């Protein structure tokens, strides 16, 4: 995949993340519908999570498929894949929440 195709691919993921996060926020956050600032904050955080999880887990799975092919070492690949996916997902979620807390000066348990 060349650079232009890769850029288009990531742009498509970004659009799907923004649209998906906006729809989910609209459907699941009753107080966000009447408060545009809260809606943008919640949808923005959700879109960032979607994008980082989608791209990061995809890149990690691709790398693991090269290093630990399913055909040669299926049990190792399963265990390593599960562990790295959980660690990455928790790390990204925690890190992104901390970035949002510090940049927007908000506490999530008080929100």
């Amino acid at each position: 995949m060349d650079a232009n195709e890769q850029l288009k691919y990531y742009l498509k993921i970004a659009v799907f993340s923004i649209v998906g996060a906006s729809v989910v926020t609209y459907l699941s956050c009753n107080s966000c519908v009447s408060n545009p600032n809260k809606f943008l904050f919640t949808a923005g955080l959700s879109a960032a999570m979607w994008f980082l999880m989608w791209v990061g887990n995809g890149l990690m799975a691709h790398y693991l498929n090269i290093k630990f092919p399913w055909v040669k070492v299926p049990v190792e690949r399963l265990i390593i894949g599960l562990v790295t996916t959980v660690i990455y997902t928790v790390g990204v979620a925690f890190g992104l929440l901390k970035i949002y807390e510090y940049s927007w000066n908000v506490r999530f348990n008080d929100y």
Side-chain angles (χ1 to χ4, degrees):
M1 182 181 299
D2 69 346
N4 283 336
E5 289 175 357
Q6 203 167 23
L7 182 62
K8 286 179 186 177
Y9 175 72
Y10 290 136
L11 211 57
K12 185 171 86 173
I13 291 174
V15 169
F16 281 134
S17 296
I18 292 168
V19 170
S22 297
V23 170
V24 168
T25 301
Y26 181 79
L27 294 175
S28 65
C29 181
N30 292 333
S31 63
C32 294
V33 175
S34 61
N35 185 344
N37 288 335
K38 189 174 183 180
F39 180 85
L40 288 174
F41 178 83
T42 306
L45 176 63
S46 183
M49 288 274 191
W50 282 35
F51 183 80
L52 290 174
M53 299 290 181
W54 192 343
V55 172
N57 281 319
L59 292 172
M60 185 173 48
H62 179 69
Y63 175 76
L64 289 176
N65 285 339
I66 293 169
K67 287 295 201 180
F68 304 97
W70 282 103
V71 176
K72 293 182 181 177
V73 285
V75 175
E76 286 179 27
R77 173 62 177 87
L78 175 67
I79 293 168
I80 292 170
L82 286 172
V83 170
T84 56
T85 299
V86 168
I87 290 171
Y88 174 79
T89 301
V90 170
V92 166
F94 183 76
L96 195 56
L97 287 175
K98 287 299 173 189
I99 289 170
Y100 261 69
E101 279 185 353
Y102 290 125
S103 64
W104 291 84
N105 195 24
V106 66
R107 299 276 305 157
F108 281 101
N109 55 353
D110 295 338
Y111 189 65

